[in-house]
Amino acid sequence: MLSTLLLGVLVILVLYILSTWKKKKQNLPPGPTPWPVIGNIPQIDRLAPYDSLTKLGEKYGNVFTIYFGWNPVVVLYGYSTLRDALLGQADDFSGRAIVPVFERIANRKGLVFSNGPHWQQQRRFSLATLRNFGMGKRSIEDRVTEEAKFLLDFFQGKQGKPFNPAPEITAAVSNVICSIVFGDRFDTEDKTFQTLHKMISENIAFLGQRGFQMYNTYPNILKWLPGEHNKIFENASKLQAFLGGLIENHTLTRDPNCPRDFVDSFLNKIDEEAGNPDSHFTMESLTYTTFNLFIAGTETTASTIRWALRFMLRYPEIQKKIQDEIDNVLGSEKRPSLEDRVRLPYTDAVIHEVQRFASIVPNGLPHEALENINFQGYTIPKGTQIITFLHSALNDKNFWDKPEAFNPERFLQNGKFVKNEALIPFGAGKRSCIGEALAKTEIFIFFVSILQKFTLKPVPGEDGPIELIGGGTRSPKPFNLCAEWRV
Ligand code: HEM
């Protein structure tokens, strides 16, 4: 028994030494010494992994290596490094890491979890189609304005009494993407719709949990064991089945000469490529790409709007300044539109500071070296996962004065809005978010519409500092507010 144990320890020791040796030989960036088998996973805080990565960045510099199990993961830290990689060596850093969780959910198909020609074609088609619908008969802005109206009615119906705005905001945001992708909106009370949102937020939250890294590190063991990951795969299947039903319905009701929405346009593309056996436009890729848009387009934007409202409860003086600006520029009746943004520089500055401070996708989505990459004197071997640590750009002391403070004034100069290149909540380069323009339209119109009509107040006794839900994504803890009608 003792000898078996000793042998086990010896094997682990040898493997450990080998891995350290291999690391040196590979010319990977420096980093903390990994534990055998588990790597650096225990050194990454479960509730605030971005804080652990920040500490490691301060210690090891702008490119460092950590280990998930035996696998090295290179972290890009600070805005200059992210810029040099994602923009300076854009092709090198355009790969997506199809980690085991993504592989099982999306089978390397669709837009977010694919690489190579399949990804390029889904991305090009999706960008062009989203743009077309923006310029079509009903602009994206019209769709957002319509949803804003439903949202305002809901707020008004609460008559100043406390309520949690989260479900309604999620429904409004989700309805915008549904309208673009499926040409239809859902009743916000619809139970199926609410269940889908619950599943989406569970799955997004899982991306930031330790279970996500554990499954990606030991998929062949964990796939047999109970745990949170099973729920995530179940949710994904249910969501895909729901979307499959909507797509099926489109195939029965469509007129190819008059595509109503994203799904109809995709079905036309499938017809167009029907003679090509290598086409990347299939019913399978349609399901995965709409699945991507539906998920990516909902929780991120809704979370940013929740943050914005939460900040208004915390900083009433900022809320007052926004309302004064809206009153001067729009008055109480003119519906906000995107072109008003330049005339509302303070409001615009607050929204940008919300996005910076909130840092809702702190680690970005995982990238991967599809070939060996030479970067800053190191070699990142083919197959290595890369974390584009966006949170470090949004808090980079070389680009932001006192980044820990919420300070919209940093985006203003002589009363005019000024950009800061380090603000990259949507990522940068070839993999950057394709929904950036849509998200910005939604955040601006929903936020301005709400503050034009209501003053938001904390519920007495619930006006403490902003707390976060723990995990890898950054969202404020659920909160209630009172929305008082402004006359
Ligand atoms: C405030 C809202 C949003 C934020 C902060 C955000 C952020 C991000 C980030 C950080 C990435 C990863 C970039 C990378 O891999 O380097 C991403 C990718 C993506 N986002 Fe967004 N996003 C938002 C809204 C949206 C919306 C509304 C859509 C829907 C159209 C969307 C669709 C996508 C897609 C499809 C990708 C994958 C792109 C690819 O792999 O090529 N996002 N987003």
Side-chain angles (χ1 to χ4, degrees):
M1 173 71 184
L2 192 65
S3 58
T4 320
L5 202 70
L6 274 175
L7 187 70
V9 171
L10 198 70
V11 170
I12 288 176
L13 208 68
V14 171
L15 286 172
Y16 174 62
I17 292 165
L18 272 177
S19 84
T20 312
W21 170 81
K22 202 172 148 208
K23 179 177 127 189
K24 285 215 172 90
K25 196 159 176 267
Q26 280 178 334
N27 187 27
L28 274 162
T33 309
W35 287 86
V37 186
I38 47 177
N40 299 109
I41 291 180
Q43 284 150 275
I44 310 290
D45 189 298
R46 217 164 40 84
L47 294 178
Y50 37 86
D51 286 344
S52 308
L53 292 185
T54 301
K55 285 194 188 108
L56 292 172
E58 281 163 2
K59 183 162 179 194
Y60 293 100
N62 290 339
V63 206
F64 59 92
T65 308
I66 54 177
Y67 280 76
F68 292 153
W70 297 110
N71 305 322
V73 176
V74 168
V75 184
L76 304 179
Y77 178 85
Y79 175 67
S80 305
T81 304
L82 284 160
R83 179 194 56 206
D84 292 350
L86 297 174
L87 300 174
Q89 289 179 231
D91 281 322
D92 291 344
F93 285 93
S94 68
R96 173 74 68 227
I98 317 292
V99 292
V101 170
F102 297 163
E103 167 112 47
R104 191 163 155 190
I105 285 179
N107 197 24
R108 297 182 177 261
K109 298 280 181 350
L111 166 48
V112 182
F113 307 125
S114 64
N115 280 311
H118 185 86
W119 162 68
Q120 272 163 355
Q121 293 194 27
Q122 302 299 311
R123 187 171 168 108
R124 201 174 306 136
F125 174 83
S126 301
L127 271 169
T129 309
L130 289 179
R131 224 176 276 135
N132 281 346
F133 280 108
M135 294 186 299
K137 279 187 281 205
R138 259 190 88 214
S139 72
I140 284 184
E141 200 175 328
D142 285 349
R143 296 166 207 254
V144 178
T145 306
E146 183 189 351
E147 281 310 319
K149 204 176 157 317
F150 285 111
L151 195 61
L152 295 185
D153 287 348
F154 175 80
F155 272 46
Q156 195 175 5
K158 290 292 168 185
Q159 299 183 325
K161 298 203 181 74
F163 68 98
N164 174 2
E168 253 4 80
I169 290 170
T170 306
V173 168
S174 181
N175 264 331
V176 173
I177 196 78
C178 284
S179 147
I180 297 166
V181 177
F182 306 112
D184 209 357
R185 66 182 300 280
F186 292 83
D187 192 307
T188 50
E189 297 297 311
D190 187 312
K191 286 281 170 278
T192 312
F193 196 44
Q194 290 175 352
T195 310
L196 294 177
H197 294 151
K198 189 168 159 280
M199 293 194 290
I200 291 178
S201 62
E202 281 169 359
N203 278 25
I204 298 261
F206 182 67
L207 294 185
Q209 288 164 10
R210 196 172 274 174
F212 175 66
Q213 302 304 357
M214 294 300 282
Y215 188 93
N216 290 334
T217 311
Y218 309 109
N220 292 329
I221 302 174
L222 285 180
K223 73 178 173 196
W224 303 108
L225 300 180
E228 186 73 1
H229 52 271
N230 292 313
K231 178 137 138 254
I232 278 14
F233 296 128
E234 228 173 79
N235 284 350
S237 303
K238 284 186 189 158
L239 280 162
Q240 285 159 7
F242 171 78
L243 299 180
L246 293 180
I247 291 170
E248 172 72 26
N249 196 29
H250 271 65
T251 59
L252 302 174
T253 56
R254 80 190 177 113
D255 170 2
N257 297 315
C258 191
R260 297 160 291 188
D261 46 40
F262 184 90
V263 170
D264 275 355
S265 305
F266 204 106
L267 289 168
N268 280 357
K269 187 79 182 163
I270 295 178
D271 288 349
E272 208 180 293
E273 302 220 348
N276 173 7
D278 300 323
S279 172
H280 294 288
F281 293 92
T282 60
M283 292 305 276
E284 190 191 19
S285 61
L286 168 57
T287 308
Y288 286 125
T289 294
T290 48
F291 174 66
N292 294 155
L293 294 177
F294 191 59
I295 293 203
T298 303
E299 181 53 25
T300 44
T301 315
S303 164
T304 307
I305 297 170
R306 289 203 304 275
W307 267 108
L309 302 189
R310 186 64 183 83
F311 278 120
M312 295 305 97
L313 301 181
R314 187 73 188 138
Y315 302 108
E317 66 289 359
I318 294 181
Q319 177 173 203
K320 172 83 176 56
K321 277 176 89 168
I322 296 175
Q323 288 175 324
D324 288 346
E325 190 178 63
I326 295 174
D327 291 351
N328 283 335
V329 174
L330 302 180
S332 62
E333 293 309 319
K334 184 193 175 301
R335 288 214 180 143
S337 75
L338 212 50
E339 63 187 28
D340 297 322
R341 203 160 45 171
V342 280
R343 296 191 296 141
L344 296 168
Y346 184 75
T347 308
D348 204 15
V350 171
I351 291 174
H352 281 77
E353 180 65 349
V354 167
Q355 285 218 273
R356 186 195 70 79
F357 198 99
S359 176
I360 60 163
V361 197
N363 291 357
L365 285 176
H367 285 229
E368 182 177 306
L370 299 179
E371 298 295 336
N372 285 350
I373 302 178
N374 294 320
F375 185 65
Q376 297 195 351
Y378 302 108
T379 307
I380 307 175
K382 180 177 173 176
T384 307
Q385 193 189 135
I386 298 165
I387 292 181
T388 55
F389 188 28
L390 304 181
H391 187 70
S392 66
L394 306 184
N395 289 279
D396 189 329
K397 291 200 171 71
N398 297 313
F399 289 83
W400 310 100
D401 182 34
K402 299 202 183 78
E404 62 291 348
F406 182 76
N407 173 21
E409 306 288 335
R410 66 173 89 246
F411 286 101
L412 291 169
Q413 221 167 53
N414 303 325
K416 290 215 161 55
F417 176 79
V418 281
K419 280 186 181 165
N420 183 324
E421 61 172 319
L423 186 71
I424 49 166
F426 298 97
K430 302 218 159 174
R431 275 285 178 173
S432 69
C433 177
I434 70 158
E436 178 168 350
L438 170 61
K440 284 179 167 167
T441 306
E442 293 186 73
I443 295 164
F444 179 79
I445 290 184
F446 286 138
F447 185 60
V448 174
S449 302
I450 292 171
L451 292 192
Q452 183 182 35
K453 297 290 182 190
F454 300 94
T455 296
L456 308 179
K457 296 200 170 153
V459 178
E462 295 181 21
D463 50 359
I466 301 176
E467 287 179 69
L468 296 176
I469 298 177
T473 47
R474 286 172 41 98
S475 286
K477 277 204 172 145
F479 60 92
N480 295 312
L481 54 75
C482 301
E484 288 180 3
W485 182 253
R486 304 176 67 214
V487 192

